């Protein structure tokens, strides 16, 4: 049975949380007999799934996340959706799933956005329409091997800031858990990675921290990710550094900020960053689609707390990076040609 459908009048756009709402439409396509169906809009938010589906038993489930930004002129932008399409294909290859063609992926985004256009929050509210493309193995399988059938869907939900404080520095802590194995699925956006992170995250929250700093799974020395986001630090000599590792998810936001940092006059590099070398940074942050940038006030490792720029105020470079990237996303400033993609709403 479907949930009650949301209505635009239900929302106070300036006070949205990061939560799911059952909107009128989603896009769904099916892979069967070696090919994808044309796909189209559907109204039912529930998906019939066989009890032996590989998506339920063997972890054949992957997803993406991106946002629709309401421009000042009333139009709407997607931000670098081609990168999300490519990353979903890379995740599918790692989990031996049928890749979703980029053309189908992009059409699904456009149709879902247009069908739910009344739920794109107004410009200036800080809220966006979050799109969640995902794919899972739907065919019945008992032995451990890939499914023959797959389901691809994109649903939408209006969201506010991922972290309620916005650009307010928060505290992170290391612990003994690994986010992903060396040679595992860390570079894929696989559902199992997130399920495995919940215990570590819950323990960090219970101890008063925003989330966990995950270290590399072999040495437990080098920074990999901060919760479900990528890490960056600004050094005293003007470098924007972010970890490089085969078990890190390649964030669209990270690669965008690497370019923005260079544009703003910082040297920018992916490199190994030891948890023991935090003194080199004057500012630090977590970056990803949901939060864009969340300033890191401190990191505690083995009981030793390192404070960056401030525990209460955002640093100047972090603010500049945030302002420039969000200005491109909302269409207030021009960025590289392929970054802000107009979504026809009529």
């Amino acid at each position: 049975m479907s949930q009650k459908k949301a209505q635009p009048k239900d929302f106070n756009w300036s006070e949205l949380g990061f939560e799911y709402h059952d909107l009128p439409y989603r896009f769904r396509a099916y892979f069967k007999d070696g090919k994808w169906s044309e796909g189209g809009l559907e109204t039912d938010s529930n998906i019939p799934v066989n009890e032996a589906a590989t998506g339920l038993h063997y972890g054949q489930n992957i997803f993406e996340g991106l946002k629709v930004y309401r421009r000042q002129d009333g139009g709407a932008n997607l931000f670098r959706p081609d990168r999300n399409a490519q990353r979903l294909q890379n995740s599918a290859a790692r989990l031996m799933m049928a890749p979703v063609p980029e053309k189908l992926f992009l059409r699904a985004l456009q149709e879902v956005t247009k069908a739910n256009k009344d739920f794109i929050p107004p410009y200036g509210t800080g809220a966006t329409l979050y799109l969640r493309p995902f794919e899972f193995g739907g065919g019945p399988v008992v032995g451990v091997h890939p499914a023959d059938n797959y389901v691809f869907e994109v649903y939408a939900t209006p969201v506010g800031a991922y972290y309620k404080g916005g650009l307010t520095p928060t505290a992170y802590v290391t612990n003994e858990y690994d986010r992903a194995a060396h040679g595992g699925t860390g570079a894929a956006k696989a559902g199992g990675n997130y399920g495995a992170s919940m215990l570590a995250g819950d323990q960090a929250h219970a101890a008063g921290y925003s989330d966990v700093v995950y270290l590399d799974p072999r040495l437990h020395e080098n920074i990999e990710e901060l919760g479900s986001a990528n890490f960056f630090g600004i050094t005293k000599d003007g470098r924007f550094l972010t970890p490089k590792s085969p078990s890190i998810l390649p964030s669209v936001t990270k690669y965008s900020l690497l370019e923005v940092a260079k544009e703003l006059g910082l040297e920018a590099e992916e490199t190994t960053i030891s948890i023991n070398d935090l003194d080199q940074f004057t500012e630090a942050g977590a970056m990803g689609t949901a939060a864009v940038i969340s300033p890191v006030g401190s990191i505690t490792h083995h009981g030793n707390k390192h404070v960056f720029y401030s525990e209460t105020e955002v640093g100047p470079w972090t603010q500049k990076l945030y302002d420039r990237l969000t200005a491109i996303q909302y269409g207030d400033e021009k960025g590289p040609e392929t970054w802000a993609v107009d979504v026809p709403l009529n």
Side-chain angles (χ1 to χ4, degrees):
M1 181 180 295
S2 296
Q3 304 180 55
K4 180 182 177 182
K5 298 297 182 185
Q7 301 294 328
K9 61 181 177 60
D10 297 337
F11 297 100
N12 182 337
W13 302 114
S14 298
E15 297 183 4
L16 282 177
F18 203 87
E19 300 170 346
Y20 171 79
H21 302 279
D22 189 354
L23 300 195
Y25 299 102
R26 66 274 306 129
F27 182 100
R28 199 171 293 152
Y30 299 89
F31 183 87
K32 187 177 181 181
D33 298 327
K35 62 181 180 181
W36 285 98
S37 67
E38 182 179 355
L41 295 172
E42 299 193 15
T43 58
D44 193 347
S45 55
N46 294 307
I47 306 173
V49 179
N50 187 276
E51 61 189 355
T54 61
L56 297 177
H57 298 275
Y58 299 136
Q60 279 198 303
N61 55 78
I62 55 178
F63 68 98
E64 281 296 320
L66 64 164
K67 293 177 177 179
V68 181
Y69 301 84
R70 178 75 76 177
R71 298 194 304 267
Q72 194 167 2
D73 65 7
N77 285 341
L78 286 166
F79 182 70
R80 308 190 75 178
D82 57 321
R83 297 297 293 260
N84 294 95
Q86 183 61 58
R87 191 169 65 178
L88 191 73
Q89 291 182 350
N90 294 342
S91 296
R94 179 63 181 84
L95 274 73
M96 294 191 69
M97 301 170 65
V100 176
E102 181 174 325
K103 186 176 181 181
L104 175 62
F105 183 92
L106 297 178
R107 180 167 66 87
L109 301 182
Q110 297 270 359
E111 290 195 21
V112 167
T113 301
K114 182 178 178 180
N116 295 295
K117 64 182 180 181
D118 292 339
F119 294 90
I120 305 173
Y123 176 85
T125 61
T128 54
L129 185 68
Y130 181 79
L131 303 183
R132 169 59 61 84
F134 64 95
E135 180 188 353
F136 66 90
V141 173
V142 177
V144 182
H145 59 81
D148 294 324
N149 301 339
Y150 295 91
V151 180
F152 166 62
E153 180 177 304
V154 180
Y155 72 77
T157 185
V159 298
Y162 189 75
Y163 296 110
K164 292 187 182 300
L167 278 183
T168 300
T170 58
Y172 289 77
V173 64
T174 61
N175 68 16
E176 72 273 22
Y177 293 105
D178 292 329
R179 175 187 164 269
H182 182 78
T185 60
K189 201 165 176 66
N193 296 344
Y194 296 81
S197 74
M198 289 183 181
L199 178 59
D202 187 69
Q203 291 181 352
H205 301 155
Y209 296 95
S210 178
D211 218 320
V212 175
V213 179
Y214 289 105
L215 303 179
D216 71 283
R218 291 197 296 177
L219 302 176
H220 284 182
E221 177 184 338
N222 301 314
I223 296 175
E224 296 232 317
E225 293 199 10
L226 272 61
S228 57
N230 284 187
F231 172 83
F232 74 86
I234 309 295
T235 66
K236 298 172 183 176
D237 59 352
R239 292 178 296 152
F240 176 99
L241 302 184
T242 184
K244 184 176 183 179
S245 165
S247 53
I248 291 177
L249 182 73
S251 165
V252 176
T253 305
K254 176 179 82 170
Y255 286 110
S256 301
L257 283 171
L258 279 165
E259 294 190 43
V260 169
K262 293 177 184 177
E263 177 194 35
L264 294 178
L266 294 167
E267 293 184 34
E269 181 185 2
E270 287 183 277
T271 186
T272 301
I273 300 175
S274 171
I275 190 67
N276 300 312
D277 292 337
L278 297 180
D279 286 344
Q280 67 180 310
F281 298 117
T282 58
E283 300 178 38
M287 50 188 171
T289 297
V292 184
I293 291 177
S294 178
V296 176
S298 68
I299 289 177
T300 298
H301 178 56
H302 291 165
N304 298 314
K305 180 179 179 180
H306 178 86
V307 177
F308 295 97
Y309 178 79
S310 168
E311 292 186 90
T312 58
E313 298 180 7
V314 61
W317 277 115
T318 301
Q319 186 71 60
K320 289 178 184 178
L321 290 163
Y322 177 86
D323 289 345
R324 173 59 175 148
L325 185 59
T326 55
I328 296 171
Q329 291 171 330
Y330 281 100
D332 294 332
E333 297 178 7
K334 186 173 179 57
E337 186 175 350
T338 60
W339 283 20
V341 178
D342 177 71
V343 185
L345 300 179
N346 299 318

